[in-house]
Amino acid sequence: MGVYVVGETITPSIAKGDLIIAISGSGSTKSVISAAAKGREIGCTVFAITTNDQSELARVSHEVLVIPAATKNRLSHETKSVQPLSSLFDQCVHVLCDAVCLDYSRNESISHELAYAKHSNME
């Protein structure tokens, strides 16, 4: 199993059965929607993280996780924030993804030392 980022030069072709996690606060980011739609067309499972379950991204996804944090659009259902643009949404997604990684590492018995051994050493 590997994890890749769309657009990186080392990212292999997607294939049927792959999972695409598509993140867009507004759910209207064209590049994210395009990648999600292409993945779905190929037979990937598309999981969206957004604030807007009525968005174009939500419509092309199989599953949608709504984080009702403020984005640049300031829709009525979004949590109010003094932070500019989509900072609150971005922070919430970061914490969510960290929690998923922590849970995965516990379930798979991946220690700090094992993770660190695979960490970049090109710094």
Side-chain angles (χ1 to χ4, degrees):
M1 173 178 73
V3 176
Y4 299 94
V5 175
V6 172
E8 292 293 327
T9 57
I10 63 164
T11 300
S13 298
I14 57 174
K16 183 177 182 174
D18 286 350
L19 171 66
I20 294 178
I21 301 173
I23 303 171
S24 169
S26 66
S28 62
T29 307
K30 296 300 180 197
S31 59
V32 177
I33 295 165
S34 177
K38 179 69 173 183
R40 186 169 182 132
E41 175 186 311
I42 289 172
C44 300
T45 298
V46 180
F47 182 86
I49 303 174
T50 183
T51 65
N52 189 350
D53 65 354
Q54 302 301 307
S55 66
E56 189 174 352
L57 177 60
R59 286 191 295 277
V60 301
S61 300
H62 293 94
E63 299 289 335
V64 179
L65 175 63
V66 173
I67 297 178
T71 66
K72 63 184 181 283
N73 297 325
R74 297 300 200 252
L75 300 176
S76 61
H77 70 277
E78 296 176 0
T79 301
K80 304 293 184 246
S81 177
V82 297
Q83 295 178 300
L85 302 172
S86 297
S87 293
L88 182 60
F89 174 78
D90 295 343
Q91 292 164 356
C92 290
V93 170
H94 189 112
V95 171
L96 169 72
C97 291
D98 278 352
V100 168
C101 289
L102 177 59
D103 188 57
Y104 179 81
S105 69
R106 286 182 175 166
N107 288 336
E108 299 298 317
S109 299
I110 299 171
S111 67
H112 168 78
E113 291 74 23
L114 181 60
Y116 188 74
K118 293 185 178 277
H119 189 270
S120 174
N121 60 2
M122 299 296 291
E123 301 166 333

